[in-house]
Structures are given as structure tokens and as C-alpha cells.
Amino acid sequence: MTTTPIADAAALAGDPVRLRDALIARDPLAAADPSAIRVVQAPGRVNLIGEHTDYNEGFVLPVAIDLGIAVAMVPTADGRVELTLAETGETGAFEVGAVGERRGSWLDYVAGMAWALGEAGTGPRGFRGLLASDLPQAAGLSSSAAIEVVSAWALSGGERPPVDPMRLVHVVQRSENGYIGLNNGIMDQFASIFGEPRRALLLDCRSLEHRSVPLPLDEIALVACHSGSARRLEASAYNERRSQCEAAVAAIAGSQPRVRSLRDVTPAMLAAVRETLDPVVTRRAAHIVAENQRVLDAIAAFEAGDLGEVGRLFYASHASLRDLYEVSSPELDALVEIAMSTPGVIGARLTGAGFGGCTINLVRRDAVAALREAVLRDYPPRTGLTPRVFAVEASAGARRLA
Ligand code: GLA
């Protein structure tokens, strides 16, 4: 394979025929037997509400989106992965049985998946492939989960991985926690695996019960606004939030032995320990306790058709992430403020881990243009950054496209 970037690489992600042809043009093995080529895809996600609740055994409400990562590949029998990134033309390689140390590059997500699938006993296989993405990276739209999930398919011969889908969610988490070094929850890969067109996905991260929730998409659009500042997701800042939540649980469990996670904590229990708990830890816990309730309230409001209430919950969630969980940024706050003052915007909040990246906006269809205009006009002078505004569709989870 050569190392020239492929022109218009992002467009290949949404076009399995062109992606397949691009693999044939670069890879003699694929060219020799095009019938062996598979194209697999895994989407990114936006989370509607329920932020940082997943690793606290709480509720989340993500949506898989119509942007994602696709891989055209041919399975091989030699246990070796050779994968080219269409965007740069760079090829990375490793042996599935000996993935080695992290390299600090995109290939780690593929290697980490091979390691975790191996550990789970699914016998990952080698392949030669070409990867294309139309999902912005470091934007809080789960490009990590998308590359991991699509890799799980590619490492499984281009077919559905041979494990129960909820088990796969945990194998992906194992790869992220054990290989990449981020102690994240299960929301992102759950959404990428279980996504459904036109629906959001309610997941109880304790019981793992889940159901899909229809969205009133004739009336509203889902609009992501990218702050133009990369999500500065220091694994350390994220992992620190997680430890603070654990510290809150340990303190509360001292007098409430039935408490195992913040999922079990009520506002009254938190009020009872407020005087003795570290104020930062108290703020973190207060966010989680209220955020879990907001997810349930948002579902009820969606189901009652009360979009005004959904919007209030979105803003309350953002304010809580800004003031209590402290994972917002001046840029994300500016985007939310601009959206809030645009008529026809129902709700806006940061989505994903925070620390930069995107907001998600629920917008009346006839107001999408007005939001775009307001953001493009008002955001750059406030921040010195160039935003991106794009409507996303609620889409299916990972699958074979060809
Ligand atoms: C990241 C993590 C998820 C979740 C969100 C915050 O996206 O990967 O597990 O914790 O942050 O809700």
C-alpha cells in the first residue's frame, strides 16, 4: 500500500462502494478477490441527557448518529492487521496475538480491541483494510467508541462479533479501560452498537435494561455545534471525576450501608453529609444525583410531548455540568448561551465528557437556519474560534454495509 492521502477521504465513510473501490485500488490482496471484501461501519453518538452518570450506575439517553467510521477490509488467516487511514494514507500494522505497547496513535484503538477480544476468547482475526471517517475527532461525538466498535467487526471477519451485543459493550469498555487507560463508562459503545433510526436509547447502566424512545423528529432537528476547540479530555481529569464520585459513595455509605453507588443516593442523603464532605466531592455528587432524575424526567416529558420541559432539563443539565461537575468550557457556555437566545431552539447543552467538543441542540425544524446564522455570527467574536454547525440524524448501530 502507498502512503498518499485519499482525496475526499471523509466522503468515503458514507459511500461503501467507493470505499471498497479505494481498497481495491490500493491493496493487491483485495484486488485479487473483490468478493472477499466486507465493508463495516460504526456510528458516533450524541448524548441527549445523562452526562457522567454511566460510570455511576445511572441513566443515559444517547442517540447513534449518521456520522461514523467505516472500514473496507478483507479477512486474512495470518493473524496480522494492516490498516490504512484514508485521511492521511498512513498504514499501521500489528499481530492480533501480540498487540504490544500502546503507540499513542489511532492504531491503539484497533489494537486495544484485538487485545480485549482475545481476552474475551472470541479469537480475533487479521485483516487488511482501509478506514474512512466522517465523524469529527475529539469532538465529544465518540470517535473512540466508533473506531473500537468498527474494529470489533473488522477483527471478526467483517461480520457481527460472536458475542452477545451487551457483552460486546463490556469488551469495548475493557479495551478502553485496560489498554487505552481511560476509565470510562459504557454509554458510547452501547449507543454505537444498539443505535436505532429516529430513536434515542434509554440505558440503565446498573441493570443494563434498555429501551428505545421515539423522538418527535418531524418537529425537531438534532443539531450539533462544534466549539472548534478540541475536547481536551485529559484522561486524568475524567478519571479524577470518577474518583471523586467514588469518594462521595464511600463517605455516604459510612452511615447508609445500602449505598453502593451514587445511583442509590437521594438528595436528602446528600444533604445529611454536606457539612462533613469535601465541597468539591459534594458538588460532583450533587450533579450526578440530580442528573439521573433529569434523564427520567426528560423521558416522561418526551413521552408527554412536553418539549418545553425537555428544554428546561437540557439547560439545567448544562448549568450543572458547568457549575457542579465543572467539565464545561467558556466556549461550550458561549454556544449554549447563543442557542438559548435564538427563538425556536428548545434546549442546548454540552454533550459527552465536556472539556471542549460539541453542544447538542434540540431545534424546531424551521429554526435550524436561524441557529446556524446566530452561531456563525456571534460565536467567533466571543471566542476567536470558528464553530461548525451540523444537523445529525438518529441512526442505526454498527453493521455490515456491503
Ligand atoms: C465520555 C465517556 C462516557 C461518558 C461520557 C460522559 O464520552 O466515554 O462513558 O462517561 O464521557 O457522560
Side-chain angles (χ1 to χ4, degrees):
M1 293 194 192
T2 65
T3 55
T4 349
I6 296 186
D8 208 8
L12 297 181
D15 188 339
V17 174
R18 277 184 61 200
L19 187 59
R20 181 178 176 278
D21 289 349
L23 178 67
I24 291 172
R26 297 170 72 89
D27 189 309
L29 193 66
D33 183 9
S35 70
I37 299 175
R38 307 271 187 271
V39 182
V40 288
Q41 193 263 8
R45 62 101 189 91
V46 290
N47 186 23
L48 294 187
I49 196 160
E51 219 64 86
H52 290 275
T53 44
D54 61 351
Y55 53 84
N56 286 298
E57 299 193 331
F59 301 105
V60 291
L61 188 65
V63 174
I65 59 175
D66 56 336
L67 299 172
I69 300 184
V71 173
M73 42 83 56
V74 272
T76 57
D78 59 2
R80 181 174 170 78
V81 170
E82 262 187 52
L83 181 60
T84 301
L85 200 57
E87 197 186 337
T88 61
E90 179 198 350
T91 298
F94 64 89
E95 308 292 325
V96 294
V99 299
E101 294 292 304
R102 272 193 296 149
R103 303 151 189 81
S105 80
W106 58 276
L107 196 65
D108 288 342
Y109 294 92
V110 188
M113 243 0 269
W115 169 78
L117 286 169
E119 204 192 52
T122 72
R125 297 175 58 187
F127 66 91
R128 293 167 68 107
L130 178 64
L131 181 151
S133 170
D134 55 13
L135 186 61
Q137 279 171 44
L141 300 178
S142 287
S143 56
S144 312
I147 190 171
E148 287 160 345
V149 172
V150 79
S151 298
W153 282 65
L155 289 157
S156 304
E159 304 290 343
R160 181 175 294 284
V163 282
D164 171 79
M166 191 53 88
R167 171 106 176 90
L168 182 61
V169 166
H170 287 98
V171 176
V172 176
Q173 185 189 30
R174 175 78 184 122
S175 146
E176 190 102 23
N177 294 178
Y179 191 78
I180 302 295
L182 184 70
N183 289 330
N184 60 357
I186 58 172
M187 168 171 73
D188 304 345
Q189 61 272 35
F190 164 77
S192 187
I193 292 166
F194 282 86
E196 287 183 37
R198 301 184 64 82
R199 286 165 173 260
L201 310 162
L202 170 64
L203 172 65
D204 176 336
C205 298
R206 167 173 277 175
S207 69
L208 304 180
E209 277 169 32
H210 55 95
R211 71 179 170 92
S212 64
V213 178
L215 295 171
L217 294 174
D218 293 333
E219 211 179 320
I220 56 163
L222 304 176
V223 179
C225 293
H226 192 321
S227 59
S229 74
R231 186 198 56 166
R232 295 174 293 270
L233 177 51
E234 301 304 333
S236 60
Y238 183 96
N239 294 347
E240 180 191 49
R241 297 296 181 288
R242 193 171 178 149
S243 317
Q244 289 162 336
C245 292
E246 284 159 10
V249 172
I252 298 166
S255 55
Q256 304 275 351
R258 295 237 298 274
V259 166
R260 285 196 293 118
S261 75
L262 287 177
R263 167 69 176 276
D264 301 315
V265 173
T266 61
M269 286 179 195
L270 196 56
V273 294
R274 199 173 271 273
E275 297 300 308
T276 50
L277 213 53
D278 175 273
V280 175
V281 169
T282 307
R283 287 205 294 278
R284 306 296 187 250
H287 164 73
I288 301 297
V289 171
E291 184 79 352
N292 274 327
Q293 188 58 46
R294 278 190 285 269
V295 178
L296 301 178
D297 293 347
I299 303 273
F302 268 122
E303 289 178 344
D306 186 352
L307 291 176
E309 175 64 6
V310 174
R312 277 188 291 281
L313 293 162
F314 265 46
Y315 291 132
S317 170
H318 184 80
S320 175
L321 289 159
R322 180 189 61 211
D323 302 335
L324 300 178
Y325 220 64
E326 296 176 282
V327 292
S328 189
S329 65
E331 293 84 14
L332 292 168
D333 295 344
L335 285 173
V336 168
E337 282 160 27
I338 293 165
M340 278 177 83
S341 55
T342 306
V345 174
I346 294 159
R349 53 180 292 281
L350 74 81
T351 191
F355 312 102
C358 283
T359 59
I360 177 68
N361 301 261
L362 291 185
V363 188
R364 294 205 186 278
R365 292 228 169 242
D366 57 9
V368 173
L371 174 63
R372 175 174 286 117
E373 206 176 292
V375 169
L376 296 181
R377 183 190 60 228
D378 297 342
Y379 181 78
R382 282 181 68 166
T383 59
L385 295 170
T386 307
R388 280 177 60 198
V389 178
F390 44 101
V392 292
E393 300 294 336
S395 299
R399 60 205 185 280
R400 185 173 153 192
L401 298 179

